[in-house]
Amino acid sequence: MNETVAPGGAELRARAEIDLAAVRANVRALRERAPGAAFMAVVKADGYGHGAAPCARAAVEAGATWLGTATPQEALALRAPGAGVPDGVRIMCWLWTPGGPWREAIEAGLDVSLSGMWALDEVTRAARLAGRPARVQLKADTGLGRGGCQPGDDWAELVAAALRAEAEGLVRVTGLWSHFACADEPGHPSIAAQLTRFREMVAYAEGQGVDPEVRHIANSPATLTLPESHFDLVRPGIAMYGVSPGPRIGTPADLGLRPAMTLSASMALVKHVPGGHGVSYGHHYLTPGATTLGLVPLGYADGIPRHASSTGPVLVEGKWRTVAGRVAMDQFVVDLGGDEPGPGAEAVLFGPGDRGEPTAEDWAQAAGTIAYEIVTRIGTRVPRVYVHDGNDADEGSGT
């Protein structure tokens, strides 16, 4: 049969190695881009797949004073005793639905985002029950068209109601904020339009008596390319993990960033097959001649995009290989061209590129998506292994 299999005692089928020194270095590099602004490290979606709590701690060590999450549950988890986030670090969450855990958020001292009157009504009721004011930030829709309050009468109504609630001691309006639609496309006309609209909506609120602690709109690409958008606080997400916000912004190396995640697996099987052999579901790949096939024990249940079937790149023993045929739920195959890696040989799907391995951007191009999705979708079956978990390991980590 002429095949090799991974030994039964292999420690890990696959691993996502997270370099926390790279996270700290990225935060410092981003802070240098916005020296006059506070830094919110966005750790939503389990730190874009990297692990929310470890990356939050690393970011705080590098100077972040705020943390940002989407859901209140994510934010409350960071306030839990085991998360290790210092009490003085502010935590904001912005994706609320009716009936959310408003009182728990208030009692945990979270900053909560409000985009409409229903949310203000719910948070003020919760503040009465909690017996303390809620820290709220009013979100303006300056042109993205997702969350946020519309300009004009809607904004005037929300601002007036928030000020009444503040006068009653039910809320403290701590921030005014918005989000860009096209900051990853330098020169897009919506960028200047949104900045103008944001300034107008902030000026209106402040003219009515709102005195926010922070005003903010800058995400990763804006932090990197739009100093006029930095205001009081910047809130990088993907760039903090060393991934470029988009090809038009530049590569991580161009931006002084280092990808923090390396995804690899132990080859589960290497075997010889004849020419014309079908590979994986649907036989969309037929071997062009006698060759060796390698089985990589990762699939779409682990977050490997099925859209990268027949295109996804993998480094095996110093050579780029390509996914052969369909990505299945738990595994995919690469054509090794006759090479015979040893049992349990490492297959590197993506990383910083130091060893010539593919990057998350390479996988994004292969799957027709963005690098954000590649790193964020890596599932819980893949253990996160943290390295350089301490400032003493920073030297030599690269930036």
Side-chain angles (χ1 to χ4, degrees):
M1 197 174 193
N2 222 359
E3 65 180 29
T4 60
V5 295
E11 183 179 353
L12 292 175
R13 157 185 81 94
R15 59 189 272 151
E17 184 175 285
I18 312 300
D19 184 351
L20 294 177
V23 173
R24 288 190 291 271
N26 295 334
V27 170
R28 288 194 294 268
L30 290 161
R31 288 182 62 213
E32 290 175 2
R33 299 289 189 115
F39 190 98
M40 177 187 288
V42 180
V43 293
K44 64 179 181 176
D46 197 27
Y48 291 60
H50 293 69
C55 291
R57 293 192 297 268
V60 170
E61 289 166 1
T65 54
W66 288 74
L67 300 173
T69 72
T71 72
Q73 290 79 12
E74 292 173 327
L76 289 167
L78 292 172
R79 277 285 185 243
V85 174
D87 292 340
V89 175
R90 301 246 52 96
I91 303 176
M92 180 181 173
C93 52
W94 47 77
L95 191 58
W96 288 84
T97 53
W102 298 102
R103 181 171 178 175
E104 293 92 330
I106 294 168
E107 291 172 343
L110 304 181
D111 281 55
V112 302
S113 178
L114 310 179
S115 295
M117 289 299 298
W118 75 263
L120 180 61
D121 291 342
E122 290 202 3
V123 80
T124 52
R125 284 198 296 271
R128 287 190 177 94
L129 292 172
R132 58 185 286 186
R135 292 177 58 90
V136 304
Q137 300 207 18
L138 307 183
K139 184 176 185 182
D141 182 359
T142 57
L144 178 59
R146 296 190 322 194
C149 184
Q150 287 294 103
D153 291 344
D154 288 351
W155 184 244
E157 180 186 27
L158 182 62
V159 167
L163 285 168
R164 289 194 298 271
E166 192 168 58
E168 293 179 52
L170 295 173
V171 305
R172 166 75 180 101
V173 182
T174 60
L176 301 169
W177 75 293
S178 190
H179 195 55
F180 281 114
C182 303
D184 58 341
E185 301 178 42
H188 194 284
S190 70
I191 297 171
Q194 281 196 256
L195 269 174
T196 297
R197 181 59 57 83
F198 184 59
R199 291 189 181 102
E200 291 171 350
M201 295 177 78
V202 166
Y204 175 83
E206 291 180 338
Q208 296 299 303
V210 174
D211 182 22
E213 296 174 13
V214 288
R215 301 161 297 162
H216 52 107
I217 190 174
N219 53 3
S220 284
T223 300
L224 289 162
T225 66
L226 293 168
E228 64 270 33
S229 73
H230 292 170
F231 293 95
D232 305 305
L233 179 147
V234 295
R235 32 170 228 276
I238 195 67
M240 184 181 111
Y241 307 98
V243 178
S244 171
R248 294 181 60 182
I249 300 296
T251 67
D254 294 336
L255 301 169
L257 305 174
R258 178 176 175 78
M261 181 188 290
T262 298
L263 178 66
S264 62
S266 294
M267 198 79 75
L269 175 70
V270 175
K271 64 183 179 182
H272 288 261
V273 298
H277 197 294
V279 177
S280 197
Y281 293 122
H283 283 182
H284 291 272
Y285 181 82
L286 297 175
T287 57
T291 189
T292 46
L293 299 178
L295 185 64
V296 180
L298 286 168
Y300 58 77
D302 303 294
I304 308 306
R306 191 169 182 269
H307 280 83
S309 296
S310 299
T311 59
V314 184
L315 185 75
V316 181
E317 293 194 333
K319 295 181 182 179
W320 270 41
R321 303 297 186 181
T322 303
V323 175
R326 288 261 177 88
V327 173
M329 183 179 291
D330 312 298
Q331 55 201 284
F332 65 84
V333 176
V334 292
D335 188 333
L336 297 170
D339 289 353
E340 298 185 50
E346 184 183 46
V348 184
L349 281 73
F350 61 80
D354 296 346
R355 296 179 287 165
E357 75 274 16
T359 65
E361 181 60 34
D362 291 318
W363 271 83
Q365 294 294 324
T369 185
I370 57 176
Y372 295 68
E373 183 178 359
I374 297 301
V375 293
T376 302
R377 69 187 294 161
I378 301 305
T380 56
R381 294 202 309 185
V382 180
R384 271 53 172 181
V385 179
Y386 295 93
V387 298
H388 301 149
D389 191 2
N391 283 304
D392 57 345
D394 279 7
E395 287 196 7
S397 66
T399 56

